[in-house]
Amino acid sequence: MSTKDGHLNDGREVYFDGKKIEDLSQEPVFSKTLKFVQRYYELQKEEPEKFLYKENNQSYSILFMPTLTMDDLARKRKVYEQIAREFYGFLGRTPDFIDTGVAILSYYAAILGKDSRCDYAENARNWAKRVKEQDLFVSHAIQNPQVNRQKTLAQLLSDGREFAGVWIKEEREDGVIVRGAKQVNTLAPLADELLIFNLPGLTAEDERFALAFSLPLATKGVKMICRKPTMKREFSLKDYPLSAQFDEMDAFIILDDVFVPNENLFVCGSVEKSNAFFPESGFFVHTAHQDEVRGYVKLEFVTALAVRVAEKLGLTHFMRVQEILGQLTVHLELIKSSVLASEATAHLENGILTPNMQILLAVRASLTGYYDEALRAIAEFSSGSIVGVPDFRAFENREIAEILKESLSSELISAEDRALLLNLAWDITGEAFGQRQRTYEFLHGGNPMWIKNMHWLTEDLTAGNQMLDKVLEHAKAEQ
């Protein structure tokens, strides 16, 4: 059973609406969203020349192709873009996110090393090979519950907070027993496996939390507790064009005394290796490349919607509206060109052509604000019209249908099309679906404040400093 074939009733423990789900196919939140996730697999059959590549006479998903040339980066970018367009950029953690990091893991695995327990580097290589061969959908779990951020994980554990992170409860000869929790695990209920690790930041005393490992979702003791849905299950697509289609479900994951065999471990007990796992394994930069491509597809969608609303409501003759729309399209082009620039200035690392992370960080820091500006423009242009759209079933009621059509139509757009367009605008700007998307876009890549701090600390200003020194020394030398 796998995401690919759609049979998810493999014993995984998923809790939704306060109860354990026995059949995920009967819950629209999962079954409808799964259809969008599966488009990744369907595209391989529809366009094999684009979505597959050959290695040792075997065909694999292009996601697992290591990037050795600029053409490779461009080829994968086009695939990320096409996958994202299947769901308008509104699913952020589809299979192409983690799997593109899996593609290059074997080139970086040596950093994981080995100890008396096992060879972690070899474990990572074997896992990457299996994920590629089976074309698995891997979800990742990294964020710890924010119980008390003034204390270290070790301090929280000593306070009895056993679910403040994931920690080693018991060491056995053949593996470890882990206990704990991870929060905001996006699309995890629909995945095949979980990749669990930490972001950098563990302290020396956090050794028991120093872990990275993989697990099938159906592993005993793994419990996924879903958030409240944003999907409008009782309404038609005409009333909720996006939120009646899918919901990128986030889940709180509990690991209740879960056994992790040695062969599934990539880090175990080393704070240094745990802190290095994400940034130094290639995952950070290559998943960022996919993520920012997906991001500009989403930005393109909301930019186009802002323009459409302005046009159909007769606002484009106002100079201020023209300026706002121009600013939105400028932002869109800056993001698109920056992604291309990250490829054009790529560098070789461990034999892999790696996109320019400084540019991708700049995209990540900027796109959040650009997306928010587009939402504000849509809300402003729609203004009072957006909150007074009738239930679409009203257009079928003979007593009021003709009156509605007459009063809501114009020479620019029919009443039904106007209502549909405004419903889409509301879905994105006012509904829980849209607010969740806004929050996701703001924080999914990390707090923008820390991204900007990281960016200036790692920016190469050698040439700029040389110019500064030259002009200052020239001034000092004046007699």
Side-chain angles (χ1 to χ4, degrees), residues 53-314:
Y53 82 106
K54 289 280 191 179
E55 184 180 301
N56 298 325
N57 293 320
Q58 293 292 320
S59 292
Y60 301 102
S61 165
I62 193 71
L63 301 186
F64 299 107
M65 182 182 73
T67 50
L68 306 179
T69 68
M70 283 186 63
D71 284 344
D72 292 340
L73 284 173
R75 186 177 173 190
K76 293 185 83 167
R77 177 199 357 109
K78 292 172 184 175
V79 166
Y80 303 151
E81 181 177 330
Q82 186 167 340
I83 292 171
R85 291 193 187 286
E86 293 292 325
F87 37 81
Y88 328 109
F90 284 88
L91 294 180
R93 293 296 187 246
T94 44
D96 47 327
F97 180 69
I98 285 294
D99 284 355
T100 196
V102 172
I104 47 82
L105 182 57
S106 62
Y107 290 80
Y108 290 81
I111 68 159
L112 301 174
K114 60 183 177 180
D115 61 18
S116 58
R117 174 175 291 282
C118 55
D119 187 332
Y120 302 106
E122 190 61 21
N123 285 353
R125 293 187 189 99
N126 291 337
W127 177 72
K129 183 174 183 289
R130 180 172 62 82
V131 171
K132 177 176 73 173
E133 290 176 346
Q134 297 179 24
D135 201 0
L136 298 178
F137 173 15
V138 179
S139 178
H140 68 308
I142 55 176
Q143 294 287 351
N144 295 319
Q146 296 173 346
V147 177
N148 184 344
R149 298 172 78 178
Q150 299 180 72
K151 294 186 176 184
T152 66
L153 291 172
Q155 289 170 338
L156 289 168
L157 184 59
S158 68
D159 290 343
R161 306 304 297 265
E162 293 192 337
F163 293 94
V166 176
W167 55 285
I168 302 166
K169 183 177 180 181
E170 179 187 342
E171 295 194 37
R172 292 174 19 179
E173 186 176 336
D174 57 345
V176 294
I177 303 293
V178 300
R179 188 169 180 79
K182 291 286 185 179
Q183 67 174 10
V184 198
N185 304 288
T186 303
L187 270 185
L190 301 182
D192 294 312
E193 293 201 7
L194 283 174
L195 173 62
I196 298 173
F197 59 96
N198 296 296
L199 293 173
L202 293 190
T203 65
E205 62 182 354
D206 293 328
E207 281 189 353
R208 295 176 76 180
F209 293 88
L211 284 162
F213 58 91
S214 67
L215 281 176
L217 284 186
T219 301
K220 183 179 179 182
V222 176
K223 306 177 191 299
M224 287 170 286
I225 305 167
C226 298
R227 60 158 166 77
K228 297 180 290 294
T230 64
M231 178 177 280
K232 294 293 183 179
R233 292 172 278 181
E234 299 84 21
F235 289 88
S236 72
L237 289 176
K238 291 184 178 67
D239 287 300
Y240 295 97
L242 285 177
S243 61
Q245 286 197 68
F246 53 81
D247 185 349
E248 187 178 34
M249 182 55 68
D250 307 290
F252 192 81
I253 292 181
I254 297 289
L255 302 180
D256 188 12
D257 293 350
V258 173
F259 175 65
V260 183
N262 284 336
E263 59 267 25
N264 286 29
L265 291 167
F266 311 133
V267 174
C268 185
S270 168
V271 168
E272 178 187 1
K273 300 295 185 187
S274 177
N275 286 337
F277 182 80
F278 189 47
E280 296 182 27
S281 64
F283 268 100
F284 190 22
V285 62
H286 287 272
T287 56
H289 185 221
Q290 181 276 342
D291 194 29
E292 305 320 327
V293 173
R294 191 273 322 158
Y296 81 60
V297 169
K298 187 175 181 180
L299 185 63
E300 188 173 50
F301 183 92
V302 293
T303 300
L305 178 57
V307 172
R308 181 77 61 87
V309 169
E311 289 174 342
K312 296 304 181 183
L313 295 184

Side-chain angles (χ1 to χ4, degrees), residues 389-426:
V389 181
D391 187 312
F392 233 91
R393 287 168 291 193
F395 289 106
E396 299 169 5
N397 187 320
R398 293 180 181 179
E399 296 179 43
I400 55 175
E402 290 307 315
I403 297 173
L404 276 178
K405 291 177 183 179
E406 181 180 347
S407 58
L408 292 177
S409 64
S410 74
E411 65 276 10
L412 297 173
I413 191 169
S414 70
E416 291 97 326
D417 287 345
R418 179 181 185 275
L420 182 56
L421 182 62
L422 290 171
N423 281 340
L424 176 57
W426 177 254

Side-chain angles (χ1 to χ4, degrees), residues 3 6-9 12-38 91 137 185-191 217 224-231 233 243-251:
T3 301
H7 300 302
L8 301 179
N9 298 322
R12 64 186 65 191
E13 283 192 66
V14 177
Y15 294 82
F16 175 70
D17 277 351
K19 62 183 184 296
K20 183 179 177 181
I21 302 302
E22 300 299 335
D23 185 355
L24 273 73
S25 68
Q26 296 304 306
E27 292 291 342
V29 165
F30 303 117
S31 60
K32 287 187 174 183
T33 307
L34 179 62
K35 287 182 170 62
F36 284 88
V37 175
Q38 287 181 311
L91 294 180
F137 173 15
N185 304 288
T186 303
L187 270 185
L190 301 182
L217 284 186
M224 287 170 286
I225 305 167
C226 298
R227 60 158 166 77
K228 297 180 290 294
T230 64
M231 178 177 280
R233 292 172 278 181
S243 61
Q245 286 197 68
F246 53 81
D247 185 349
E248 187 178 34
M249 182 55 68
D250 307 290

